[in-house]
Amino acid sequence: MGDSLRIGIVGAGNISGQYVKNLPRLDNVQLTRIADIDAGKASALASEAGVPACTPEELYAASDVDIVLNLTIPLAHASVALEAIAAGKHVYGEKPLAADTVSAREVLDAAAAQGVVVGCAPDTVLGTGVQTARASLDAGDIGVPVAATAFMTTPGHERWHPAPEFYYEPGGGPLLDMGPYYLTALVTLLGPVRRVVGMSSAPRPTRVIGSGPRAGTSIPVRVATHVTGVLEHVGGELSTLMMSFDIWGAQLPRIEVYGTEGSLSVPDPNGFAGTVQIFREEWVDLPVLAGYPDAGRGYGVSDMARSIVDGTPHRASGDLAYHVLDVMECLLRAAETGESVAIGSTCERPAAVTA
């Protein structure tokens, strides 16, 4: 298969367009097929990309696919991954790795037994924003890290999404929706988490759809819409996390890291770039120090493809995604029980993306 690995996309939904746009920019991967259970969607996206459309089953069996790029809905992530793995394909998926850690563990165990590699978004942490902060931390610019904060605040996705029910069903909520970006960034910066405490609430029992043909329709809320907690990293650093669908406006940082000699302000982890600022006597912008420049969706796939060829660990790994999912589940459990919860999993801190 040479040094360029062939990619087959399963799932032609909204996020797929970004991958189709970015994959041709990467010299070590080649998009070869697109599949979806909706044949019309698969055909439309395949026509745009200039590749054949097929069924998912045909894609799993195809000899011109090395990596299955799983862009299906979260509830289908595990089943699609398992089918691809059974066919001997490597798998890279959108977040989360699976709907729960039980299903996610099945995916990782199946991949290990089959001798294939699993990767998972978000790959936003491979861009210049988080990686510049990582480089500054590793250089000791703010001394020894002692704490961090991470805030994601919005009044709720129902204001703009025409069919927002899944955000308010089990498996949804602000933590599982947006938490992977923030937690993956925190693990990249500070390492894995060993214990969590937390609290949560759902102040409004219903939400009202604000746009589209069903505007004005009331939908039930079945998950916590405000989650806050403290994460204890293996190095002893304490990260304070708040993920909320209940805040109309705030003047909070996205992520900040506090050290013995200064502080770092990290840009939105839902993006690849952004300015990192450092504080020692005053806030100063840092130049880009590391990370893939001009990155976008698909860079995690490329990073994984390179690791497969070179035989080295990849950064947006299944183990990292599993650990992040485990931390989120444990935080919700801590909020329900009122007790601290030890994290059963761990992972390696991903290698830095050097400039």
Side-chain angles (χ1 to χ4, degrees):
M1 59 188 173
D3 290 343
S4 179
L5 300 194
R6 297 158 297 182
I7 310 296
I9 290 177
V10 177
N14 290 338
I15 195 67
S16 62
Q18 295 186 41
Y19 282 92
V20 166
K21 176 183 176 182
N22 288 323
L23 288 174
R25 299 167 49 197
L26 302 163
D27 59 9
N28 69 330
V29 292
Q30 177 188 1
L31 180 61
T32 56
R33 288 176 180 261
I34 293 174
D36 195 285
I37 57 173
D38 183 329
K41 285 185 176 180
S43 294
L45 186 63
S47 177
E48 176 186 336
V51 300
C54 62
T55 67
E57 291 73 23
E58 290 169 336
L59 188 144
Y60 304 140
S63 60
D64 61 352
V65 172
D66 304 309
I67 299 174
V68 171
L69 178 52
N70 182 2
L71 305 182
T72 57
I73 62 173
L75 288 177
H77 284 179
S79 60
V80 168
L82 288 169
E83 289 190 65
I85 290 166
K89 310 298 187 187
H90 305 290
V91 178
Y92 183 96
E94 261 299 320
K95 55 86 181 171
L97 181 59
D100 53 58
T101 52
V102 173
S103 301
R105 176 47 57 193
E106 291 178 6
V107 170
L108 296 184
D109 289 348
Q114 191 76 343
V116 297
V117 174
V118 173
C120 187
D123 54 2
T124 48
V125 294
L126 305 182
T128 55
V130 170
Q131 289 296 322
T132 288
R134 163 76 179 264
S136 181
L137 275 177
D138 290 353
D141 292 344
I142 64 168
V144 178
V146 296
T149 55
F151 301 106
M152 192 290 299
T153 61
T154 174
H157 295 342
E158 74 281 0
R159 297 177 66 239
W160 56 268
H161 199 293
E165 285 89 343
F166 68 99
Y167 289 115
Y168 299 99
E169 297 285 346
L175 182 62
L176 290 176
D177 175 43
M178 295 300 294
Y181 297 104
Y182 289 78
L183 287 167
T184 303
L186 288 172
V187 172
T188 297
L189 295 170
L190 299 175
V193 177
R194 64 185 176 198
R195 185 165 61 110
V196 296
V197 295
M199 299 188 77
S200 65
S201 64
R204 288 180 279 167
T206 60
R207 298 285 177 123
V208 177
I209 299 176
S211 66
R214 298 169 57 228
T217 302
S218 180
I219 59 173
V221 173
R222 296 190 172 96
V223 294
T225 53
H226 185 97
V227 181
T228 186
V230 178
L231 323 173
E232 182 186 32
H233 295 265
V234 293
E237 306 91 346
L238 300 179
S239 289
T240 300
L241 181 78
M242 185 173 75
M243 304 279 114
S244 184
F245 284 170
D246 290 298
I247 296 178
W248 282 87
Q251 294 179 318
L252 294 166
R254 299 291 189 167
I255 295 177
E256 287 185 348
V257 182
Y258 312 110
T260 54
E261 298 175 24
S263 300
L264 282 174
S265 178
V266 186
D268 186 353
N270 192 19
F272 288 84
T275 300
V276 178
Q277 293 186 309
I278 187 168
F279 183 93
R280 282 176 292 214
E281 298 294 335
E282 60 180 350
W283 287 107
V284 176
D285 293 352
L286 284 178
V288 170
L289 301 173
Y292 292 122
D294 302 317
R297 309 282 180 186
Y299 273 65
V301 185
S302 173
D303 185 83
M304 187 177 89
R306 188 174 296 109
S307 77
I308 291 169
V309 172
D310 295 344
T312 56
H314 58 295
R315 296 176 176 89
S317 70
D319 287 339
L320 171 58
Y322 180 90
H323 180 64
V324 166
L325 181 59
D326 194 14
V327 171
M328 293 190 295
E329 283 191 354
C330 289
L331 180 54
L332 292 174
R333 191 180 314 136
E336 290 173 1
T337 63
E339 300 175 351
S340 67
V341 175
I343 309 300
S345 66
T346 190
C347 66
E348 294 295 325
R349 186 186 183 215
V353 181
T354 55

